[in-house]
């Protein structure tokens, strides 16, 4: 009886082949990301500045620390456009500072430190935030205590505490790890420890929602351990909010490090970072404005590009926005 | 609502105690020795006496509770005495700064007005600029004005105050010579001319701080307006034949302000923190600058008290934001 019944399938079901070739998720993400001009520019600039500080020292081999007192206070070559009598030289394209140290080499070295601190602090904050967020979202017993703890840390006055921590702990760490490494560990540590809270809250919210879905239930029903559920099923699904908060974290970390250097509690004085270079040149900024402008613009452009990148990523990784 | 407020107030006590403990322990673990600057010729027994004079003779927990007692009991009583001319606190130990040997709160009270003026003005100016920008860019979404507003607020987020500060100084004090680059706190406003001087010197620090506020709040205002502009009640209001101005400025604006007001309350403590940098750039001797100098001078009681004041600000404004949210939005019921 039933085998004789012929149902005409509707139009779409007649297709033997899919009308469009299947597209991977990341292709969709990239297509959406490409539409956001600011994000594209931001990503490009971040890539450029990262390459600039990584490859830079191999191309511009001048030592950033070398004193050259005869060639001090040189102006950047573009000063020549409006001031023909300015002291310029082609082998010092961005001029020199008051001790004759080359500005371009300093910018590269300073950018290296600033970006390294930014990346490292961001990774640390992301790790802490994801850990606490996943733990409190997945395990109900830990939720109350961990979230109260997050609230408490959020109500700490962070900038004053950062200042206190860096000022008070720099001596022992510098004694233990050497002046530069000690300071690096200290600054990355304090910035990371004080900026994980937003990530933790976002991750917890996502995990709470995902935990109730069927695929997690299915995974649990075949006996997957909580650790495996978290690493195999939860973490890949919360990658997009984590990536967005990573960009925000990178921007905040770069600004915080520069602010600490600016207030005079950052790296030692012979160790350039963008914030430190800016702070050091403020007293003479009327004669040599470029020494304030160059590191300032570098910080601002990097942070601006990271913020735009985050904006674009947020749109590209959100399937509700994507494809609109 | 009242029960909620009371419950939150009681809950904020352990929060504040925890924060005080964290700050105290951080300072306690720090290896700075207040006697480090004392000459080596001073004999150890004299040094011991000096330590005791600074209040360092007792173990840590006793010092912590003494500080709590001084901060929460003695200092308010001193304030009471000052208000009403009574003498309850005669002979009581107050929190003493190691730098100046005078009570910490007296110095804080001296420094507070400068910070409040600059920070308060900056916040008000920032909000006054941000709200119209947010409203208009939401109303004309994706217009040139909206795009420009997005770009400017992105810049406001990205350029740190320690760069905008020197930039403004170079431009307006050095090149143009319009405003003074250093904030003169001894300046007293007596007449119109001195008010003008005061106004001039406030413009730049206020602008630097206001840029950050504007960027943040105009974004929130825009997002909140956009959410409300597509609601059904807006269509109803238009269908009734209300003018566009009434629809946007009364119906939509009032509903959009609810989250923005809480954001404004929450942002208040952050701007006090940001003022540390701005005060440093423009040489305003407010509490941010006081914290920095105390920190470099290893003046533990001063640092402890000031950081704790910042913490109180955060907790209080969080509370205000929560309560405001409940008061403004009748849909939210806390009980």
């Amino acid at each position: 009886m039933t085998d004789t019944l012929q149902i005409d399938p509707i139009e779409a079901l007649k297709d033997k082949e899919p009308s469009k070739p299947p597209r991977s998720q990341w292709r969709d993400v990239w297509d959406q990301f490409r539409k956001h001009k600011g994000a594209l520019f931001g990503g490009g600039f971040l890539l450029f500045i990262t390459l600039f500080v990584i490859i830079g020292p191999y191309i511009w081999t001048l030592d950033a620390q070398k004193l050259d007192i005869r060639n001090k206070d040189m102006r950047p070559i573009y000063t020549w456009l409006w001031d023909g009598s300015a002291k310029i030289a082609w082998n010092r394209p961005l001029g020199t500072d008051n001790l004759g140290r080359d500005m371009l080499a300093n910018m590269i070295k300073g950018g290296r430190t600033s970006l390294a601190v930014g990346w490292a602090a961001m990774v640390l904050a992301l790790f802490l935030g994801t850990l606490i967020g996943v733990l409190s979202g997945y395990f109900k017993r830990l939720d109350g205590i961990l979230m109260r703890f997050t609230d408490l840390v959020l109500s700490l006055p962070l900038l004053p505490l950062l200042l206190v921590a860096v000022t008070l702990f720099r001596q022992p760490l510098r004694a233990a790890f050497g002046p530069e490494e000690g300071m690096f560990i200290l600054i990355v540590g304090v910035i990371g420890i004080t900026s994980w809270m937003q990530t933790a809250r976002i991750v917890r919210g996502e995990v709470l929602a995902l935990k109730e879905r069927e695929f997690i239930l299915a995974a649990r029903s075949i006996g997957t351990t909580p650790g495996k559920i978290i690493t195999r099923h939860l973490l890949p699904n919360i990658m997009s909010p984590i990536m967005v908060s990573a960009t925000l974290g990178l921007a905040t970390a770069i600004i915080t490090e520069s602010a600490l250097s600016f207030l005079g509690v950052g790296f030692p004085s012979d160790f350039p970072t963008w914030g430190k270079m800016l702070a050091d040149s403020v007293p003479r900024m009327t004669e040599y404005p470029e020494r304030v402008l160059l590191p300032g613009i570098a910080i601002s452009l990097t942070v601006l590009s990271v913020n735009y990148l985050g904006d674009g990523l947020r749109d590209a990784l959100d399937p509700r926005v994507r494809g609109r | 609502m009242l029960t909620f407020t009371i419950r939150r107030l009681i809950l904020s006590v352990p929060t504040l105690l925890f924060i005080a403990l964290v700050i105290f322990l951080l300072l306690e673990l720090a290896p700075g020795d207040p006697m480090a600057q004392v000459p080596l010729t001073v004999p150890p027994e004299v040094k011991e006496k000096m330590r005791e004079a600074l209040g360092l003779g007792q173990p840590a927990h006793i010092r912590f509770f003494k500080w709590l007692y001084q901060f929460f009991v003695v200092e308010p009583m001193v304030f009471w005495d000052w208000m009403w001319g009574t003498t309850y606190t005669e002979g009581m130990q107050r929190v003493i700064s190691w730098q100046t040997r005078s009570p910490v709160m007296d110095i804080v009270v001296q420094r507070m007005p400068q910070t409040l003026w600059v920070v308060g003005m900056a916040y008000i100016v920032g909000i006054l600029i941000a709200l119209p920008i947010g409203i208009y860019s939401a109303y004309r979404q994706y217009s040139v004005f909206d795009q420009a507003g997005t770009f400017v607020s992105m810049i406001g987020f990205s350029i740190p105050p320690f760069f905008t500060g020197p930039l403004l100084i170079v431009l307006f004090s050095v090149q143009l010579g319009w405003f003074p680059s250093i904030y003169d706190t001894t300046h007293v406003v007596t007449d119109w001319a001195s008010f003008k001087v005061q106004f001039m010197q406030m413009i730049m620090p206020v602008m630097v701080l206001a840029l950050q506020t504007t960027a943040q709040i105009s974004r929130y205002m825009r997002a909140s307006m956009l959410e409300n502009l597509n609601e059904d009640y807006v269509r109803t209001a238009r269908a009734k034949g209300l003018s566009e101005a009434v629809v946007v400025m009364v119906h939509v604006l009032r509903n959009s302000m609810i989250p923005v007001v809480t954001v404004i309350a929450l942002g208040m403590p952050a701007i006090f923190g940001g003022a540390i940098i701005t005060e440093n750039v423009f040489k305003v001797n407010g509490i941010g600058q006081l914290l920095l100098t105390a920190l470099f001078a290893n003046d533990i009681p001063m640092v402890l008290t000031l950081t704790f004041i910042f913490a109180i600000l955060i907790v209080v404004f969080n509370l205000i934001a929560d309560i405001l949210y409940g008061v403004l939005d009748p849909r939210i019921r806390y009980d």
Side-chain angles (χ1 to χ4, degrees):
Chain A
M1 200 53 195
T2 45
D3 49 352
T4 54
L5 194 70
Q6 275 290 331
I7 300 172
D8 237 14
I10 54 167
E11 196 72 24
L13 294 179
K14 279 183 196 157
D15 292 344
K16 289 279 177 289
E17 301 275 306
S19 52
K20 270 193 289 185
R23 294 161 58 82
S24 78
Q25 182 200 358
W26 293 106
R27 233 198 121 90
D28 281 351
V29 169
W30 169 244
D31 279 353
Q32 174 70 30
F33 184 75
R34 235 177 14 182
K35 277 193 209 138
H36 195 307
K37 286 281 171 298
L40 214 55
F41 162 78
F45 185 80
L46 187 65
L47 201 66
F48 164 74
I49 202 89
T50 311
L51 288 178
F52 173 74
V53 299
I54 290 175
I55 304 178
Y58 300 105
I59 297 168
W60 192 253
T61 47
L62 222 58
D63 182 11
Q65 294 305 313
K66 190 169 176 290
L67 303 184
D68 183 6
I69 213 75
R70 275 175 217 286
N71 290 322
K72 67 169 185 174
D73 290 339
M74 296 247 254
R75 308 298 303 270
I77 38 177
Y78 58 79
T79 322
W80 180 79
L81 290 176
W82 62 87
D83 180 11
S85 62
K87 192 173 154 191
I88 58 161
W90 285 102
N91 59 355
R92 298 280 187 279
L94 293 182
T96 54
D97 69 359
N98 54 343
L99 294 172
R101 290 177 295 197
D102 182 57
M103 276 296 279
L104 181 57
N106 264 300
M107 285 290 290
I108 295 171
K109 193 154 181 237
R112 232 177 195 206
T113 320
S114 291
L115 285 181
V117 168
W119 281 103
M122 181 267 277
V123 169
L124 179 62
L126 218 56
F127 173 74
L128 286 175
T130 312
L131 183 73
I132 291 177
V134 166
L135 284 182
S136 80
Y138 194 78
F139 301 103
K140 216 173 226 139
R141 264 181 301 142
L142 295 174
D143 189 22
I145 184 164
L146 280 179
M147 278 299 113
R148 288 296 79 70
F149 177 65
T150 311
D151 287 347
L152 281 177
V153 180
L154 268 174
S155 44
L156 287 172
L158 291 180
L159 187 62
L161 272 187
L162 276 176
L163 288 173
V164 171
V166 175
T167 327
L168 298 176
F169 288 96
R170 71 176 139 185
Q171 284 311 331
L173 274 168
R174 283 175 69 167
F177 298 100
E180 277 124 43
E181 287 78 8
M183 219 47 214
F184 185 82
I185 293 171
L186 178 59
I187 288 185
V188 166
V190 291
I191 296 178
I193 288 171
T194 53
S195 54
W196 51 268
M197 291 83 71
Q198 300 298 342
T199 317
R201 284 187 154 184
I202 295 168
V203 168
R204 170 179 173 268
E206 294 280 327
V207 169
L208 277 181
L210 272 179
K211 194 172 75 164
E212 304 302 325
R213 298 268 290 273
E214 283 81 3
F215 70 98
I216 300 290
L217 185 68
R220 202 169 329 145
S221 67
I222 57 169
T224 319
T225 55
K228 270 273 179 272
I229 290 184
I230 289 171
T231 48
R232 284 297 294 271
H233 300 286
L234 285 178
L235 280 182
N237 278 300
I238 52 171
M239 265 336 265
S240 50
I242 292 180
M243 272 165 82
V244 173
S245 69
T247 56
L248 286 179
L250 180 60
T252 330
I254 291 175
I255 287 204
T256 313
E257 185 275 320
S258 310
L260 289 178
S261 294
F262 183 81
L263 293 174
V265 296
F267 284 91
S269 53
D270 54 346
F271 196 69
T273 75
W274 284 340
K276 184 116 209 100
M277 289 167 71
L278 203 163
D280 287 347
S281 28
V282 163
R284 295 178 76 195
M285 66 186 165
T286 50
E287 294 102 335
Y288 305 103
E290 69 272 3
R291 288 185 205 161
V292 173
L293 286 177
L294 287 173
I297 289 173
I299 296 171
S300 308
L301 273 183
T302 312
V303 174
L304 186 69
S305 66
V306 173
N307 278 337
Y308 263 114
L309 183 69
D311 218 30
L313 273 182
R314 194 192 335 252
D315 288 356
L317 292 170
D318 190 345
R320 282 164 301 185
V321 177
R322 198 162 62 216
R324 264 206 282 164
Chain B
M1 200 64 225
L2 190 68
T3 29
F4 169 76
T5 313
I6 293 168
R7 204 173 62 216
R8 279 297 309 265
L9 267 177
I10 294 170
L11 261 179
S12 63
V13 172
T15 312
L16 280 175
L17 283 180
F18 169 80
I19 294 171
L21 187 67
V22 167
I23 304 169
F24 183 82
L25 285 180
L26 192 67
L27 291 169
E28 192 61 30
L29 290 172
D33 179 18
M35 293 284 107
Q37 304 295 326
V38 175
L40 289 172
T41 47
V42 174
E45 60 268 22
V46 179
K47 251 188 189 170
E48 202 46 50
K49 284 229 172 78
M50 288 165 83
R51 290 177 67 85
E52 270 169 34
L54 288 176
L56 281 171
Q58 270 117 2
H61 60 277
I62 294 184
R63 273 182 288 133
F64 179 61
F65 285 114
K66 275 201 163 166
W67 177 81
L68 279 182
Y69 178 74
Q70 285 166 359
F71 190 86
F72 283 107
V73 180
V74 180
E75 294 298 341
M77 278 167 75
V78 170
F79 182 69
W80 179 269
D81 280 359
W82 176 79
M83 284 276 288
W84 309 107
T86 51
T87 48
Y88 292 122
T89 49
E90 198 97 353
M92 274 182 168
Q93 179 67 50
R94 301 179 64 185
V95 186
I96 299 290
S97 155
W98 289 352
Q99 269 172 302
T100 60
R101 295 316 181 96
S102 59
V104 167
M105 281 318 251
D106 287 1
I107 307 172
V108 171
V109 168
Q110 282 170 15
R111 300 294 188 94
M112 208 50 144
Q114 286 87 286
T115 304
L116 279 184
W117 264 110
V118 173
V119 170
M121 278 304 288
Y123 214 50
I124 292 168
V125 168
I127 292 167
L128 286 182
I129 300 173
L131 293 188
I133 293 180
I135 294 169
Y136 193 74
S137 43
Y139 189 63
R140 296 246 176 275
Q141 199 189 359
Y142 302 129
S143 66
V144 178
F145 183 85
D146 183 27
Q147 305 277 357
T150 309
F151 184 68
V152 169
S153 58
M154 217 40 155
I155 287 184
F157 273 126
S158 307
I159 302 191
F162 51 85
F163 182 45
T164 36
L167 214 60
L168 287 188
I169 291 179
V170 168
L171 198 63
F172 290 110
S173 321
V174 179
Q175 304 290 338
L176 297 169
W178 289 355
F179 312 123
S181 72
I182 291 176
Y183 187 94
D184 179 9
T185 31
T186 57
H187 183 73
V188 187
V189 178
T190 49
D191 53 356
W192 188 245
S194 61
F195 173 76
K196 210 181 140 206
V197 173
Q198 174 71 16
F199 181 74
M200 290 295 231
Q201 69 177 359
M202 277 181 71
I203 288 181
M204 284 205 298
V206 165
M207 274 331 208
V208 168
L209 279 171
L211 179 68
Q212 315 252 313
T213 320
T214 310
Q216 204 181 5
I217 291 176
S218 68
R219 285 293 87 190
Y220 275 108
M221 190 71 223
R222 176 177 177 274
S224 172
M225 285 288 283
L226 278 179
E227 226 164 74
N228 276 295
L229 273 171
N230 292 326
E231 295 276 335
D232 290 339
Y233 72 83
V234 180
R235 196 180 310 127
T236 314
R238 286 200 177 119
K240 280 198 303 189
L242 291 180
S243 71
E244 198 62 20
V246 174
V247 172
V248 175
M249 299 309 284
V250 179
H251 288 70
V252 181
L253 183 62
R254 276 182 63 175
N255 281 300
S256 314
M257 279 307 280
I258 296 169
V260 176
V261 165
T262 59
V263 167
I264 289 173
L266 283 177
M268 209 52 205
I271 196 145
F272 270 95
I276 296 177
I277 294 167
T278 316
E279 282 179 2
N280 196 37
V281 171
F282 292 101
K283 316 275 188 291
V284 184
N285 62 346
I287 49 173
Q289 197 254 1
L290 185 64
L291 177 72
L292 269 185
T293 45
L295 209 54
F296 292 143
N298 221 342
D299 184 355
I300 304 286
M302 177 84 90
V303 174
L304 182 58
T305 310
L306 278 175
T307 324
F308 193 61
I309 289 175
F310 279 115
I312 291 178
L313 283 176
I314 296 180
V315 172
V316 166
F317 278 103
N318 279 351
L319 187 64
I320 290 176
D322 277 358
I323 294 172
L324 268 182
Y325 208 60
V327 170
L328 291 177
D329 194 340
R331 286 168 299 186
I332 296 203
R333 281 283 154 263
Y334 285 118
D335 355 270

